[in-house]
Amino acid sequence: MGKYAALVDVSKCTACRACQVACKQWNELPGEKTINVGTYQNPPDLSVTTYTLIRFKELSDKGEMRWNFFKDQCRHCLEPPCKEAAEGTVKGAIIQDDNGCVLFTEKTRLLDIREIRDACPYDIPRQDPNTKLMAKCTFCNDRIANGMVPACLKVCPTGTLSFGPRDNMLDMAKKRLAEVKKRFPQAKLMGDEEEVSWIYILNRPEAEFQMTVRAKRPVTVGRRGFMRPLGTLVAGTALLGSVTTDSSRE
Ligand code: SF4
Ligand code: SF4
C-alpha cells in the first residue's frame, strides 16, 4: 500500500469546524466543556478527546480585523520522531501502517509523555491523566483501510481539504499553489519537502498563523536522506486508486 497525504489550502478555510465535529463523531469522542477566553478558537487546544482543531489567529490589517485559520492535527510523519523516541523505551508502543498512518497503541500508557511530546516537532501527543493512554489523530486509519476518506476530509464543504496518494497530492499542491499565488503572491507550500503526510498551502506568511511548532528544533536527516521537519518551518490501493479530492466517498 502506498503512502497517503492530505492537502490543506488554508485560503479556503472558513473555520466552520465541520472537520472537528466529524472527527469527534467518527472516533466517538465527547465534547469538552469550555469557557470563553476571548477567542472563537474552541476548544482551546488539542486533547485526548480533540484530535483536530482549527487554530485562530486574529490580526489587524490596515485597520481592519482579519482572522487566519489553521487546521492542526498529527502530521503523520513518514519517519515519526515520536515512534523513534518510543522504541527506546517500549517497543511497539507507536506503530506505523504501510499507508503512512502513525498509530498510538495501548502500550503508550507505559511511555513518558514528556519524552514523546518533546520528540514531536508539532507538539501533538496528549495523555489521559487517568488511564495514562496517549492519544492523537489516527488519520482515520480504519476508514482508509476500507477505501474511505478520513472523516474530516470527507465533510469539508469549502474545498480546503483534499486527500489521496502522496505523489498525487504533491502534484495537486503545486498546481493549486500557482492559483493561490494569483491572489496571494507570497503564498507557499509547507510540508512538501518534509517527511510529513499533511501538506499545507499557506496564503500568508507562516507567522500569521497560530501553530504549535516547537521552536529551534534541530535539523536532522532521515534515513532516506530527506530533511525532517524544522521547528521553524513546520510543518492507494485499488480501492482508493488515484483519488484526489474525493468528497463523494463515505
Ligand atoms: S471543514 Fe474545511 S472549511 Fe470547515 S473548518 Fe474544517 S478545514 Fe475549514
Ligand atoms: S506529528 Fe508528532 S505525533 Fe504525529 S507522527 Fe509526527 S512526531 Fe508523531
Side-chain angles (χ1 to χ4, degrees):
M1 183 180 279
K3 298 272 192 296
Y4 286 97
L7 175 63
V8 186
D9 179 352
V10 301
S11 71
K12 293 188 172 186
C13 180
T14 60
C16 70
R17 289 174 281 198
C19 50
Q20 285 185 207
V21 174
C23 178
K24 292 226 177 226
Q25 277 185 329
W26 181 256
N27 293 294
E28 299 182 339
L29 299 168
E32 293 180 45
K33 189 170 182 181
T34 56
I35 56 168
N36 190 326
V37 292
T39 170
Y40 284 104
Q41 181 175 309
N42 191 35
D45 198 6
L46 297 172
S47 73
V48 285
T49 58
T50 298
Y51 296 170
T52 187
L53 176 70
I54 299 297
R55 296 194 183 275
F56 285 54
K57 187 141 185 177
E58 197 173 307
L59 299 158
S60 175
D61 191 354
K62 294 175 189 150
E64 294 202 354
M65 195 275 283
R66 172 163 53 79
W67 269 316
N68 287 342
F69 308 123
F70 183 83
K71 186 179 182 301
D72 195 13
Q73 73 292 300
C74 172
R75 309 300 199 274
H76 295 274
C77 306
L78 302 190
E79 293 186 22
C82 59
K83 179 173 180 284
E84 203 172 299
E87 285 297 289
T89 321
V90 184
K91 288 208 180 303
I94 298 176
I95 58 175
Q96 188 171 30
D97 204 310
D98 288 346
N99 59 21
C101 298
V102 179
L103 304 167
F104 284 3
T105 73
E106 293 236 330
K107 288 185 186 172
T108 55
R109 72 173 83 233
L110 304 171
L111 296 170
D112 181 345
I113 181 63
R114 288 166 302 181
E115 192 184 341
I116 303 305
R117 195 163 164 177
D118 195 47
C120 173
Y122 309 102
D123 194 25
I124 299 296
R126 297 292 190 269
Q127 184 180 44
D128 187 306
N130 299 316
T131 66
K132 304 298 179 195
L133 274 173
M134 294 183 197
K136 65 164 189 67
C137 158
T138 65
F139 215 172
C140 285
N141 187 44
D142 49 353
R143 291 176 63 94
I144 293 178
N146 286 288
M148 295 188 286
V149 169
C152 62
L153 290 129
K154 167 72 181 167
V155 298
C156 179
T158 63
T160 302
L161 305 177
S162 305
F163 173 80
R166 194 167 187 278
D167 288 345
N168 293 12
M169 287 298 98
L170 287 169
D171 287 346
M172 180 188 261
K174 284 175 198 148
K175 286 179 191 143
R176 290 270 287 272
L177 176 66
E179 285 301 308
V180 175
K181 268 182 176 285
K182 288 177 189 168
R183 212 173 137 220
F184 302 97
Q186 46 189 344
K188 65 169 191 171
L189 296 181
M190 186 175 75
D192 56 323
E193 292 181 348
E194 301 157 29
E195 292 189 308
V196 292
S197 302
W198 280 74
I199 300 157
Y200 292 80
I201 298 173
L202 298 183
N203 58 336
R204 298 183 186 277
E206 205 171 308
E208 294 190 14
F209 294 90
Q210 186 68 43
M211 302 178 199
T212 51
V213 179
R214 291 199 183 284
K216 297 177 188 159
R217 180 174 170 77
V219 179
T220 56
V221 178
R223 285 188 291 281
R224 289 193 296 268
F226 292 104
M227 281 170 66
R228 283 193 183 147
L230 284 169
T232 50
L233 271 179
V234 176
T237 62
L239 278 172
L240 281 165
S242 58
V243 175
T244 50
T245 309
D246 193 350
S247 56
S248 65
R249 288 178 182 272
E250 294 183 357

PDB file of all heavy atoms in Angstrom, residues 74-77 80-83 102 104 119-122 124-125 136, ligand 2:
ATOM      1  N   CYS A  74      -2.028  15.695  14.083  1.00  0.00           N
ATOM      2  CA  CYS A  74      -0.806  14.926  13.802  1.00  0.00           C
ATOM      3  C   CYS A  74      -0.507  14.993  12.304  1.00  0.00           C
ATOM      4  O   CYS A  74      -1.410  14.856  11.476  1.00  0.00           O
ATOM      5  CB  CYS A  74      -1.013  13.474  14.236  1.00  0.00           C
ATOM      6  SG  CYS A  74       0.331  12.375  13.719  1.00  0.00           S
ATOM      7  N   ARG A  75       0.760  15.207  11.958  1.00  0.00           N
ATOM      8  CA  ARG A  75       1.141  15.310  10.536  1.00  0.00           C
ATOM      9  C   ARG A  75       1.464  13.941   9.938  1.00  0.00           C
ATOM     10  O   ARG A  75       1.794  13.823   8.785  1.00  0.00           O
ATOM     11  CB  ARG A  75       2.350  16.219  10.349  1.00  0.00           C
ATOM     12  CG  ARG A  75       2.248  17.588  11.006  1.00  0.00           C
ATOM     13  CD  ARG A  75       1.085  18.427  10.495  1.00  0.00           C
ATOM     14  NE  ARG A  75       1.285  19.831  10.797  1.00  0.00           N
ATOM     15  CZ  ARG A  75       0.944  20.422  11.942  1.00  0.00           C
ATOM     16  NH1 ARG A  75       0.331  19.738  12.890  1.00  0.00           N
ATOM     17  NH2 ARG A  75       1.187  21.709  12.145  1.00  0.00           N
ATOM     18  N   HIS A  76       1.437  12.902  10.746  1.00  0.00           N
ATOM     19  CA  HIS A  76       1.770  11.551  10.286  1.00  0.00           C
ATOM     20  C   HIS A  76       3.102  11.556   9.521  1.00  0.00           C
ATOM     21  O   HIS A  76       3.164  11.262   8.316  1.00  0.00           O
ATOM     22  CB  HIS A  76       0.603  10.947   9.488  1.00  0.00           C
ATOM     23  CG  HIS A  76      -0.595  10.743  10.368  1.00  0.00           C
ATOM     24  ND1 HIS A  76      -0.772   9.609  11.114  1.00  0.00           N
ATOM     25  CD2 HIS A  76      -1.600  11.575  10.704  1.00  0.00           C
ATOM     26  CE1 HIS A  76      -1.873   9.753  11.859  1.00  0.00           C
ATOM     27  NE2 HIS A  76      -2.391  10.930  11.626  1.00  0.00           N
ATOM     28  N   CYS A  77       4.127  11.901  10.279  1.00  0.00           N
ATOM     29  CA  CYS A  77       5.488  11.966   9.742  1.00  0.00           C
ATOM     30  C   CYS A  77       5.859  10.629   9.095  1.00  0.00           C
ATOM     31  O   CYS A  77       5.515   9.563   9.613  1.00  0.00           O
ATOM     32  CB  CYS A  77       6.474  12.260  10.866  1.00  0.00           C
ATOM     33  SG  CYS A  77       6.070  13.723  11.831  1.00  0.00           S
ATOM     34  N   PRO A  80       8.477   8.909  11.867  1.00  0.00           N
ATOM     35  CA  PRO A  80       7.979   9.661  13.020  1.00  0.00           C
ATOM     36  C   PRO A  80       8.964   9.742  14.192  1.00  0.00           C
ATOM     37  O   PRO A  80       9.356   8.717  14.759  1.00  0.00           O
ATOM     38  CB  PRO A  80       6.738   8.866  13.456  1.00  0.00           C
ATOM     39  CG  PRO A  80       6.522   7.819  12.428  1.00  0.00           C
ATOM     40  CD  PRO A  80       7.760   7.660  11.639  1.00  0.00           C
ATOM     41  N   PRO A  81       9.337  10.957  14.591  1.00  0.00           N
ATOM     42  CA  PRO A  81      10.197  11.111  15.766  1.00  0.00           C
ATOM     43  C   PRO A  81       9.566  10.549  17.049  1.00  0.00           C
ATOM     44  O   PRO A  81      10.270  10.069  17.931  1.00  0.00           O
ATOM     45  CB  PRO A  81      10.381  12.629  15.871  1.00  0.00           C
ATOM     46  CG  PRO A  81      10.121  13.149  14.499  1.00  0.00           C
ATOM     47  CD  PRO A  81       9.080  12.238  13.918  1.00  0.00           C
ATOM     48  N   CYS A  82       8.234  10.598  17.148  1.00  0.00           N
ATOM     49  CA  CYS A  82       7.572  10.053  18.353  1.00  0.00           C
ATOM     50  C   CYS A  82       7.799   8.546  18.421  1.00  0.00           C
ATOM     51  O   CYS A  82       8.063   7.994  19.504  1.00  0.00           O
ATOM     52  CB  CYS A  82       6.077  10.370  18.339  1.00  0.00           C
ATOM     53  SG  CYS A  82       5.191   9.707  16.915  1.00  0.00           S
ATOM     54  N   LYS A  83       7.697   7.881  17.304  1.00  0.00           N
ATOM     55  CA  LYS A  83       7.899   6.428  17.251  1.00  0.00           C
ATOM     56  C   LYS A  83       9.345   6.088  17.611  1.00  0.00           C
ATOM     57  O   LYS A  83       9.610   5.157  18.374  1.00  0.00           O
ATOM     58  CB  LYS A  83       7.547   5.907  15.857  1.00  0.00           C
ATOM     59  CG  LYS A  83       7.741   4.416  15.661  1.00  0.00           C
ATOM     60  CD  LYS A  83       7.193   3.997  14.297  1.00  0.00           C
ATOM     61  CE  LYS A  83       7.364   2.517  14.045  1.00  0.00           C
ATOM     62  NZ  LYS A  83       8.728   2.140  13.700  1.00  0.00           N
ATOM     63  N   VAL A 102       0.343   6.908  11.464  1.00  0.00           N
ATOM     64  CA  VAL A 102       1.108   6.658  12.689  1.00  0.00           C
ATOM     65  C   VAL A 102       0.096   6.463  13.814  1.00  0.00           C
ATOM     66  O   VAL A 102      -0.788   7.310  14.019  1.00  0.00           O
ATOM     67  CB  VAL A 102       2.041   7.842  13.001  1.00  0.00           C
ATOM     68  CG1 VAL A 102       2.810   7.596  14.293  1.00  0.00           C
ATOM     69  CG2 VAL A 102       3.007   8.063  11.835  1.00  0.00           C
ATOM     70  N   PHE A 104      -0.937   5.284  17.866  1.00  0.00           N
ATOM     71  CA  PHE A 104      -0.585   5.048  19.267  1.00  0.00           C
ATOM     72  C   PHE A 104      -1.329   3.791  19.741  1.00  0.00           C
ATOM     73  O   PHE A 104      -2.540   3.692  19.563  1.00  0.00           O
ATOM     74  CB  PHE A 104      -1.006   6.238  20.129  1.00  0.00           C
ATOM     75  CG  PHE A 104      -0.118   7.452  20.003  1.00  0.00           C
ATOM     76  CD1 PHE A 104       0.946   7.484  19.110  1.00  0.00           C
ATOM     77  CD2 PHE A 104      -0.335   8.570  20.798  1.00  0.00           C
ATOM     78  CE1 PHE A 104       1.774   8.596  19.001  1.00  0.00           C
ATOM     79  CE2 PHE A 104       0.489   9.685  20.695  1.00  0.00           C
ATOM     80  CZ  PHE A 104       1.533   9.702  19.803  1.00  0.00           C
ATOM     81  N   ALA A 119       9.505  14.896  21.637  1.00  0.00           N
ATOM     82  CA  ALA A 119      10.061  14.380  20.374  1.00  0.00           C
ATOM     83  C   ALA A 119       9.274  14.877  19.168  1.00  0.00           C
ATOM     84  O   ALA A 119       9.791  14.918  18.053  1.00  0.00           O
ATOM     85  CB  ALA A 119      10.056  12.856  20.398  1.00  0.00           C
ATOM     86  N   CYS A 120       8.024  15.234  19.392  1.00  0.00           N
ATOM     87  CA  CYS A 120       7.153  15.638  18.276  1.00  0.00           C
ATOM     88  C   CYS A 120       7.411  17.089  17.891  1.00  0.00           C
ATOM     89  O   CYS A 120       7.263  17.984  18.714  1.00  0.00           O
ATOM     90  CB  CYS A 120       5.687  15.448  18.670  1.00  0.00           C
ATOM     91  SG  CYS A 120       4.555  16.119  17.428  1.00  0.00           S
ATOM     92  N   PRO A 121       7.756  17.357  16.644  1.00  0.00           N
ATOM     93  CA  PRO A 121       8.029  18.742  16.229  1.00  0.00           C
ATOM     94  C   PRO A 121       6.789  19.624  16.276  1.00  0.00           C
ATOM     95  O   PRO A 121       6.894  20.839  16.221  1.00  0.00           O
ATOM     96  CB  PRO A 121       8.511  18.595  14.785  1.00  0.00           C
ATOM     97  CG  PRO A 121       8.763  17.158  14.570  1.00  0.00           C
ATOM     98  CD  PRO A 121       7.934  16.403  15.545  1.00  0.00           C
ATOM     99  N   TYR A 122       5.613  19.010  16.342  1.00  0.00           N
ATOM    100  CA  TYR A 122       4.370  19.771  16.260  1.00  0.00           C
ATOM    101  C   TYR A 122       3.578  19.763  17.567  1.00  0.00           C
ATOM    102  O   TYR A 122       2.437  20.200  17.608  1.00  0.00           O
ATOM    103  CB  TYR A 122       3.513  19.219  15.108  1.00  0.00           C
ATOM    104  CG  TYR A 122       4.304  19.118  13.831  1.00  0.00           C
ATOM    105  CD1 TYR A 122       4.791  17.894  13.385  1.00  0.00           C
ATOM    106  CD2 TYR A 122       4.619  20.262  13.100  1.00  0.00           C
ATOM    107  CE1 TYR A 122       5.564  17.806  12.240  1.00  0.00           C
ATOM    108  CE2 TYR A 122       5.392  20.183  11.958  1.00  0.00           C
ATOM    109  CZ  TYR A 122       5.860  18.954  11.532  1.00  0.00           C
ATOM    110  OH  TYR A 122       6.630  18.878  10.397  1.00  0.00           O
ATOM    111  N   ILE A 124       2.049  17.409  19.358  1.00  0.00           N
ATOM    112  CA  ILE A 124       0.752  16.770  19.157  1.00  0.00           C
ATOM    113  C   ILE A 124       0.339  15.774  20.269  1.00  0.00           C
ATOM    114  O   ILE A 124      -0.813  15.811  20.710  1.00  0.00           O
ATOM    115  CB  ILE A 124       0.731  16.020  17.795  1.00  0.00           C
ATOM    116  CG1 ILE A 124       0.952  17.011  16.630  1.00  0.00           C
ATOM    117  CG2 ILE A 124      -0.547  15.218  17.622  1.00  0.00           C
ATOM    118  CD1 ILE A 124      -0.130  18.048  16.463  1.00  0.00           C
ATOM    119  N   PRO A 125       1.206  14.879  20.730  1.00  0.00           N
ATOM    120  CA  PRO A 125       0.723  13.833  21.647  1.00  0.00           C
ATOM    121  C   PRO A 125       0.129  14.400  22.939  1.00  0.00           C
ATOM    122  O   PRO A 125       0.642  15.358  23.511  1.00  0.00           O
ATOM    123  CB  PRO A 125       1.988  13.015  21.947  1.00  0.00           C
ATOM    124  CG  PRO A 125       2.895  13.281  20.790  1.00  0.00           C
ATOM    125  CD  PRO A 125       2.631  14.713  20.420  1.00  0.00           C
ATOM    126  N   LYS A 136      -4.034  10.830  19.821  1.00  0.00           N
ATOM    127  CA  LYS A 136      -3.880  11.850  18.771  1.00  0.00           C
ATOM    128  C   LYS A 136      -4.650  11.376  17.542  1.00  0.00           C
ATOM    129  O   LYS A 136      -5.218  10.271  17.549  1.00  0.00           O
ATOM    130  CB  LYS A 136      -2.402  12.042  18.429  1.00  0.00           C
ATOM    131  CG  LYS A 136      -1.808  10.791  17.814  1.00  0.00           C
ATOM    132  CD  LYS A 136      -0.520  11.073  17.126  1.00  0.00           C
ATOM    133  CE  LYS A 136      -0.063   9.869  16.332  1.00  0.00           C
ATOM    134  NZ  LYS A 136      -0.909   9.542  15.200  1.00  0.00           N
TER     135      LYS A 136
HETATM  136  S1  SF4 B   2       3.314  14.825  14.120  1.00  0.00           S
HETATM  137 FE1  SF4 B   2       4.145  14.248  16.122  1.00  0.00          FE
HETATM  138  S2  SF4 B   2       2.732  12.675  16.893  1.00  0.00           S
HETATM  139 FE2  SF4 B   2       2.377  12.874  14.683  1.00  0.00          FE
HETATM  140  S3  SF4 B   2       3.698  11.291  13.734  1.00  0.00           S
HETATM  141 FE3  SF4 B   2       4.868  13.223  13.746  1.00  0.00          FE
HETATM  142  S4  SF4 B   2       6.044  13.124  15.662  1.00  0.00           S
HETATM  143 FE4  SF4 B   2       4.402  11.595  15.852  1.00  0.00          FE
END
